[in-house]
């Protein structure tokens, strides 16, 4: 369950309390959920009870207890527990985003975590102009769509330049104008996002303002993919610097650090073992959100969403890494094994995401 989905669940509980006459309030448009504060617990916390107390004419703690009962209803299957703390904060633990279940799922799926199971039955034809950014974006959109079970065919107005293929690793199925006759999905007919017209879906981001090839494959791809399609990409050496100001460096550095922790843990004689953790709720949240990000990036043909999500994963995992290994004379414990498992899961998500972008995820950096 994502924070957005949990917000809707909280609002559903409010609506039920209103319908049952336990609260007399106007259901708000949104419920803010965030990581628990000091003294809190669980995966997320919300102050919705404090927000509704005055209009309901009841103490915040009473409002919180009312909402707690609805959040723990049998049909709220993804809510494991709700604890009221402080003046009326609701601290919510989720079944689907518990660190143990999440980490085990990531290890089970590997770099395919977030991929759809089986084929969606959709047949998609993508067409790009003969421009380097458009071809790279189309290449990644095709990868994203395939990760969600679609069958994809790509075409370009003209044969891609040899350097685009050799350096950037792009591949198209055909060049020239796409065929637009026949019904989509029939043999020899075009694949299409538009089943009514049979037209190919154009991929036309703002063109690159300069040649990205001197940056090399990884930095060039990132420079073209990280900005949204309507934003002009920056082509420059800033994508090559190994500093925290460079988002690509942060993502690849975070992945390399998780791999280094695995090697260091092996040297200390212990390995990962998923277990309950109360720390790093922000990291657990972004990892659990990965399948949703992939699905929306594919549906909206927006690889920039995946790129920004990988930055969010890196920024969540980097502050967590210093506590993974034992310090000094400390012996490896169950907590260290669980932290290592969560760190390795984050590394797996980073590697899988970079692979979809066509970018290398080095084990050493």
């Amino acid at each position: 369950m994502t924070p957005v989905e949990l917000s809707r669940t909280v609002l559903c509980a409010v609506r039920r309390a209103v319908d049952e006459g336990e609260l007399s309030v106007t259901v708000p448009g949104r419920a803010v959920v965030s990581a628990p504060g000091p003294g809190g617990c669980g995966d997320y916390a919300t102050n919705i009870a404090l927000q509704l107390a005055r209009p309901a004419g009841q103490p915040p703690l009473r409002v919180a207890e009312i909402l707690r009962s609805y959040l723990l209803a049998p049909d709220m299957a993804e809510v494991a527990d709700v604890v009221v703390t402080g003046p009326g904060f609701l601290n919510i633990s989720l079944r689907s985003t518990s660190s143990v279940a999440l980490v085990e799922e990531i290890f089970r799926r590997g770099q395919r975590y977030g991929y759809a199971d089986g084929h969606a039955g959709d047949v998609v034809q993508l067409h790009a102009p003969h421009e380097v950014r458009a071809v790279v974006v189309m290449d990644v959109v095709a990868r994203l769509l395939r990760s969600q079970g679609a069958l994809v065919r790509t075409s370009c107005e003209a044969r891609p330049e040899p350097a685009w293929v050799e350096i950037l690793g792009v591949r198209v199925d055909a060049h020239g104008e796409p065929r637009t006759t026949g019904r989509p999905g029939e043999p020899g007919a075009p694949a299409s996002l538009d089943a009514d017209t049979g037209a190919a879906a154009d991929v036309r981001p703002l063109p690159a303002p300069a040649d990205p090839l001197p940056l090399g494959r990884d930095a060039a791809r990132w420079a073209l993919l990280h900005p949204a399609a309507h934003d002009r990409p920056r082509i420059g050496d800033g994508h090559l610097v190994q500093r925290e100001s460079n988002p690509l460096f942060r993502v690849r550095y975070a992945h390399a650090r998780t791999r280094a922790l695995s090697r260091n843990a092996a040297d200390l004689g212990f390995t990962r073992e998923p277990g309950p953790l109360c720390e790093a709720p922000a990291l657990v949240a972004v990892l659990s959100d990965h399948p949703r990000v992939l699905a929306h990036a594919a549906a909206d043909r927006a690889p920039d969403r995946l790129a920004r999500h990988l930055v969010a994963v890196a920024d969540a995992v980097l502050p967590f890494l210093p506590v993974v290994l034992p310090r000094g004379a400390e012996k490896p414990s169950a907590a260290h094994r669980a932290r290592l498992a969560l760190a390795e899961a984050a590394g797996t998500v980073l590697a899988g995401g970079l692979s979809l972008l066509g970018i290398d995820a080095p084990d050493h950096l």
Side-chain angles (χ1 to χ4, degrees):
M1 179 178 285
T2 67
V4 172
E5 292 168 337
L6 179 58
S7 176
R8 292 173 184 154
T9 299
V10 172
L11 292 179
C12 179
V14 174
R15 192 171 295 109
R16 290 183 179 180
V18 171
D19 292 343
E20 294 296 325
E22 294 196 64
L23 291 178
S24 180
V25 295
T26 300
V27 179
R30 64 189 292 260
V32 176
V33 297
S34 58
C41 59
D43 298 301
Y44 295 99
T46 177
N47 66 349
I48 190 71
L50 284 75
Q51 178 184 341
L52 298 177
R54 176 171 291 182
Q58 300 191 50
L61 284 173
R62 173 59 185 158
V63 175
E65 289 296 340
I66 291 172
L67 296 179
R68 178 179 182 274
S69 66
Y70 287 100
L71 286 168
L72 291 174
D75 61 339
M76 298 288 195
E78 294 188 350
V79 177
D81 193 19
V82 180
V83 177
V84 178
T85 59
F89 292 104
L90 289 163
N91 297 263
I92 304 170
S93 298
L94 302 176
R95 299 184 195 281
S96 59
T97 57
S98 68
S99 59
V100 177
L102 173 66
V103 169
E104 289 175 343
E105 173 68 6
I106 293 173
F107 289 153
R108 185 178 72 83
R109 301 296 299 272
Q111 292 189 22
R112 296 178 66 84
Y113 168 64
Y115 283 33
D117 293 322
H119 292 295
D122 298 327
V123 184
V124 181
Q125 178 164 316
L126 302 173
H127 184 68
H130 187 255
E131 190 275 324
V132 63
R133 187 187 186 196
V135 174
V136 169
V137 170
M138 180 177 67
D139 177 73
V140 177
V141 170
R143 294 170 186 236
L144 288 167
L145 287 167
R146 291 178 183 124
S147 79
Q148 301 306 300
L151 301 174
V152 185
R153 178 178 171 82
T154 59
S155 60
C156 182
E157 288 179 352
R159 188 185 300 274
E161 299 298 321
W164 301 356
V165 177
E166 296 168 7
I167 297 177
L168 300 180
V170 297
R171 181 180 64 85
V172 299
D173 297 316
H175 59 275
E177 290 301 318
R179 295 176 56 189
T180 58
T181 60
R183 293 180 59 81
E186 292 181 349
S192 177
L193 285 179
D194 189 335
D196 296 324
T197 66
D202 273 346
V203 178
R204 290 183 179 271
L206 278 180
D211 182 9
L213 295 179
L215 297 177
R217 173 170 176 160
D218 294 333
R221 275 184 166 262
W222 183 268
L224 299 174
L225 295 167
H226 183 251
H230 57 267
D231 291 332
R232 192 171 298 279
R234 294 183 300 104
I235 308 298
D237 293 342
H239 297 291
L240 298 172
V241 298
Q242 296 194 9
R243 291 198 298 262
E244 288 187 0
S245 59
N246 178 6
L248 174 59
F249 170 73
R250 292 208 305 278
V251 171
R252 301 175 82 203
Y253 176 66
H255 172 266
R257 284 285 310 279
T258 65
R259 294 297 181 256
L261 284 174
S262 300
R263 296 190 296 270
N264 294 338
D267 291 340
L268 293 173
F270 76 99
T271 58
R272 73 191 187 199
E273 184 176 334
L277 288 173
C278 59
E279 59 247 63
L283 176 57
V284 172
V286 292
L287 294 180
S288 66
D289 204 28
H290 187 65
R292 183 193 66 83
V293 171
L294 290 188
H296 282 266
D300 297 334
R301 303 196 294 278
D304 59 287
R305 293 188 181 183
L306 173 57
R308 291 196 300 272
H309 174 67
L310 296 181
V311 175
V313 173
D315 289 345
V317 73
L318 283 170
F320 172 69
L321 298 182
V323 302
V324 170
L325 298 180
R327 296 181 178 180
E330 190 178 11
K331 298 294 184 181
S333 65
H336 293 113
R337 295 183 180 89
R339 292 172 190 150
L340 179 62
L342 182 58
E344 289 189 5
T348 299
V349 169
L350 291 171
L354 286 170
S355 176
L356 282 171
L357 297 178
I359 295 174
D360 182 47
D363 287 349
H364 302 268
L365 194 62

